[in-house]
Amino acid sequence: MHSPRPAVVARAPGRVNLIGEHTDYNGGLCLPFAIRLATTATVTPRADDQLRMTSTEAASGDTLWQRYVVGVVAELRAAGWTVPGLDIGLASTVPLGGGLSSSAALECAVATAVAGLLGIPLDADTRRLLAGACRRAETDHVGAPTGGMDQLASMLGAEGHALLVDFADPGGPATTPVPLPVTAAGLALLVTDTGVRHSLADGDGGYAQRRRECEAGEPRRLRHVTTENDRVRAAVEAIDDGEWDRLGALMTASHASLRDDFEVSVPQLDLAVETANGAGALGSRMTGGGFGGCTITLVAADRAAVVREAVDAAYAERGWANPVHHLVEPGPGAEVLSTAG
Ligand code: GLA
């Protein structure tokens, strides 16, 4: 009789960046956190060396997500792991392409499931190694020149904590968990998805262009990076001191810098930020690469509904489709859920 083939299930979260945008590929600081929306990967070894994948999310004809998976397996093999052929099943609650790092969640879920399959413990070093492999899957296999923040947040995020990442550390990105007790402080973190979609996997797109401008030392772009690093440091202090108004002000200043100096905002993001602040939020900013995607707003828990409604009304007034809101909180990083046979 055949024994059942072992299957491993793992989950990896999307992320929101609280502050510190377009700093990762500039050797700077960022402060993301893992959210509860996540991708689940089920991997089962095959007798041959093929990769077969199915996804509950995939729009027919869209095969980009498969390149992320192929890239992750190739990078793990390049790191010396003996990865067999696999059947891979994927399901996700992270909105695709919506600025919450659906791609990092996908990559990290597959990498974590493979680690589980090979019996490799998920200690901090392994998590770092997987984050690096997943970033290279994205940059070298898919052609999205991203900076590494998303995969670190997904792999190393911790319940109730943001993750301070310092990309200047010569030993590789240094990560420090920062307790983020927003709920205990009577606050909420509201993510507003503008519905404007962007692609980072576009070599001619704005993201790649910004990277080139930073490499070329364009003063206006670098002014954003320098002031943003200062804001991240100040944000960590504000959080430590429970100075939530100050954190909110830093978030709004970050948005202004991304809009005016770095020029990666769009009118839908600007309107969401201005309306949220006008409706009594402590602060608000675009989060992620920009050119669409989401805002993150810090607001008193009992005002979150008022802010949502105000943003919806502002969009309706311009004839724009309703944005989608998510209340988010810092959740755990990637984990193996089961290794059942
Ligand atoms: C995207 C990239 C990240 C980072 C942000 C901007 O999310 O994937 O690496 O560069 O943009 O902060």
Side-chain angles (χ1 to χ4, degrees), residues 15 17 19-26 30 99-101 103-104 135 138 144-151 167 198 200 207 211 224 228 258 262 264 285-290:
R15 65 92 188 92
N17 190 16
I19 195 163
E21 220 65 82
H22 288 275
T23 48
D24 57 357
Y25 57 83
N26 284 305
C30 59
L100 298 176
S101 274
S103 54
R135 182 188 56 75
E138 196 151 326
T146 58
M149 164 176 72
D150 311 336
Q151 294 81 6
F167 285 89
H198 63 290
L200 300 179
Y207 185 90
R211 284 198 70 146
H224 162 72
E228 186 77 348
L258 287 157
F262 216 69
V264 289
R285 58 184 290 278
M286 56 156 273
T287 181

Side-chain angles (χ1 to χ4, degrees), residues 271 275 308-323:
L271 182 67
T275 307
R308 289 167 74 134
E309 283 157 23
V311 175
D312 289 353
Y315 270 51
E317 203 173 295
R318 279 170 182 67
W320 296 344
N322 252 10

